[in-house]
Amino acid sequence: NETDWSSAESATADESIIFHDAFEETVVSGRTSTMDPDWTGSDTRTGLWNEDSGTILTPYGDQVMYVWNSRYVTTKASSLSDVLTAGTDYTLTFNAAAENGNGGINYQAELLAGSTIVATVNDGPMTTKNMADYSDSLTFRPDSSHPNLGNTLALRLRYASGDWHYVMGYDNVVLRAVPDETPPSPNPLGFLVEPFGINATSIVMTASNATDATGPVEYLMTNDTAGVSSGWSTNTFWMN
C-alpha cells in the first residue's frame, strides 16, 4: 500500500487517497504466481508480472498485477480497513492492459463492502499491452439507507472473459474517499415554531424541515435552562 504524492511543489499527500498500489513492493522477474502482500488471489493463476517479460509495459514502475481466465484478486482487510460511510464519494481508478494486446480480454473492477459488491465497472476488449494507453474508473456514493454501511471496504479485479491463452494486467490502482461536508439545506436552519416555555422548566419547539442529498436529516434541540436535550432525532418537534 504505497503513499501517493501530489505533483505540487510542496509534495503534500492527497488526503482523499485511502488505498494506492502500483505493485512494486515485492520484486519478481517475468510473470509469477507470487502475490503482492496487500492482495489475495482466487488461485495460483494470479500474481505479479514484471515488464522484463516483454509482454506488458507500464509507466508506473516495473510491475503489474495479472489475472487469468476468470480469476480475480482481492485486497486484504489488513491493507484496506476503511468502512462504507453514507454521503462519502468513492472513486476507484486504475490502468489495464492485456498480454501483448491480445486475447480480446474484458475486465471488471469491483468495490465491495463486506462481501457485497456495491459498485462495478467493466469494459473491453483490451487491445494494448501498454498500461499508459488505457485507464478507467468507477464512482459510488451510498446514502444513509444503504444496507452495507459500516462494512469494511475491499477492491476486486477480475479477468471477466476472453481467450484463455492470454492474461491481463492491472496497475496504478487508487481508491479515493471524499466525505460529505455539505450541510443540509437550508443553512443555517431556523424554527418553524420558535421555542417557548410552557412552565418554569419545560420548553417546546419545532425546527424547520431540512433536506440533504445523503438521506434523512437529524435534529438536536436543547433546553439550556433545564440542561436537557432531545438527542439526535429525525423528529422536528420536541418538548421536554
Side-chain angles (χ1 to χ4, degrees):
N1 190 8
E2 302 165 19
T3 303
D4 193 275
W5 297 95
S6 75
S7 59
E9 270 185 41
S10 59
T12 55
D14 183 343
E15 293 182 356
S16 71
I17 293 176
I18 58 174
F19 182 84
H20 176 212
D21 211 337
F23 307 112
E24 301 296 312
E25 187 172 348
T26 301
V27 178
V28 302
S29 180
R31 194 173 75 217
T32 77
S33 60
T34 301
M35 184 54 56
D36 183 276
D38 291 327
W39 299 75
T40 182
S42 56
D43 65 21
T44 57
R45 282 158 287 194
T46 60
L48 294 171
W49 184 10
N50 195 301
E51 65 180 3
D52 65 9
S53 64
T55 54
I56 195 75
L57 291 172
T58 179
Y60 309 107
D62 300 315
Q63 300 182 159
V64 307
M65 176 72 77
Y66 83 88
V67 286
W68 176 72
N69 193 28
S70 301
R71 272 67 176 184
Y72 58 84
V73 292
T74 308
T75 51
K76 294 179 179 177
S78 58
S79 60
L80 181 55
S81 58
D82 294 70
V83 300
L84 190 69
T85 304
T88 296
D89 289 315
Y90 297 97
T91 304
L92 171 64
T93 59
F94 58 91
N95 293 73
E99 182 179 357
N100 285 323
N102 296 327
I105 300 171
N106 300 296
Y107 65 82
Q108 180 163 304
E110 302 165 351
L111 174 65
L112 294 86
S115 59
T116 301
I117 299 169
V118 296
T120 65
V121 61
N122 50 70
D123 205 353
M126 304 305 305
T127 59
T128 179
K129 74 172 189 178
N130 192 340
M131 289 285 171
D133 294 339
Y134 192 85
S135 64
D136 205 348
S137 65
L138 68 79
T139 58
F140 178 66
R141 173 189 270 204
D143 64 23
S144 61
S145 65
H146 197 284
N148 296 103
L149 296 179
N151 290 345
T152 302
L153 298 172
L155 303 177
R156 183 168 292 156
L157 309 175
R158 291 184 180 272
Y159 179 122
S161 63
D163 185 341
W164 66 270
H165 292 93
Y166 301 92
V167 303
M168 73 157 295
Y170 291 90
D171 203 4
N172 191 34
V173 178
V174 181
L175 180 62
R176 290 177 169 85
V178 179
D180 175 26
E181 296 180 348
T182 302
S185 179
N187 180 41
L189 183 66
F191 288 99
L192 184 64
V193 177
E194 292 284 341
F196 63 91
I198 55 177
N199 57 42
T201 59
S202 296
I203 197 170
V204 63
M205 64 186 81
T206 304
S208 299
N209 286 313
T211 59
D212 190 86
T214 64
V217 173
E218 293 187 338
Y219 306 83
L220 178 66
M221 304 181 210
T222 302
N223 180 339
D224 292 331
T225 300
V228 295
S229 72
S230 64
W232 287 103
S233 169
T234 56
N235 197 338
T236 59
F237 172 83
W238 181 62
M239 178 177 66
N240 76 299

